[in-house]
Amino acid sequence: MDIHSFQVWLVTTIYQNSPVADLMRTAWAWPIAESLHFLGLCLLVGSIGTFDLRLLGVAKRVPIAAVHRFIPWGLAGFALNIVTGTMFLLTEPDQYIYNPSFHFKLLFMTIGGLNAATFYLTSYRRVFGPDAPLDAPRRAKVIAAVSLCAWLGVITGGRLLTFYRPAPCDGPQTGLLLTCQP
Amino acid sequence: MIDLDPFLAWVESTTLSEWIVGSPSMFAFPGILVLHAIGMGFAVGVSAALDLRILGVAPRIPLTEMRRFLPVLWAGFWLNAVSGVLLLIGYPTKALTNPVFYLKLTLIAVAMVLLVRISRSAFGEGDVTSALDGALSPRLRRLAIASLVCWTGAITAGRLLAYTYTRLTQLH
């Protein structure tokens, strides 16, 4: 199965089996889920962004490990957004799976995730050890900058979704991903 | 009650308003919305981090050191003040005829007053509690909780603007 057929299969399968579509189509479910999605965004930026800024040199007198205590709150915001985001996707799958802005949002989320994994694999010990320096190593600073850019990319991709709603396809599609409604 | 319609019609007839709403450029309406979301993330996010610190999260950060993150909060706030005014110039009728819009502005105003009071209390010379994680004053904790409640309300009200307006423009 090529990627285009997979996208079509995904949209069809979700439409036929979505467990949340009925709930999400009630009067206030969608707006409430959106509000929660924005709250999750703020928690994520406020926690992970604050930690990134510390790695980049803001509040340099504070031990890096002390600021890391905000991270679970950022992960909670992320989890909230995965849940609410999945609810949107399971209700209007074609509006996301054929939407180039959503493709970029997922790409930036992947970059953010791999970047965070890189941090814990390469810099965690040096930054959190008993004799950790107050100034983060250069590698950790690069990771922090990439993290900030990745999450800003995720926000941008999310906010622009509505401006790239897929139109019906006119003829055969050649792009890597399908960005119209077949 | 003053009739706002002539004023709203004038705003909508300006070149700036027409560009914001009508331009096909992604830097017009879509770009302004993106900046508004990013500013929200930093303004509300950093304010929430300060509130959480006051409520006991990350206790090893000296409270006074949290002030180093405030410039980011203010940058987000001003970014949103400017982008918010631009969005308002784009759709003045949509916002100004919707009571939810005034609720949103009121909640933001209260949240900012709370922030100033929290800052004075936490970073100023008042009842300084700069000790590492010493018992922060109950007053400061109450302010932090009120701040989180206001931001939650402001974001919810903001999101509901898309669903509660009754008139989009003077023409509609």
Side-chain angles (χ1 to χ4, degrees), chain A residues 5-29:
Chain A
S5 320
F6 174 71
Q7 287 176 270
V8 174
W9 173 83
L10 203 54
V11 169
T12 316
T13 309
I14 291 174
Y15 265 127
Q16 285 164 357
N17 301 290
S18 180
V20 294
D22 289 339
L23 168 72
M24 289 297 279
R25 294 207 179 94
T26 57
W28 291 104

Side-chain angles (χ1 to χ4, degrees), chain A residues 51 62-69 127-128, chain B residues 60:
Chain A
F51 183 67
V62 181
I64 292 169
V67 183
H68 191 263
R69 297 289 284 271
V127 170
F128 291 94
Chain B
R60 285 171 52 224

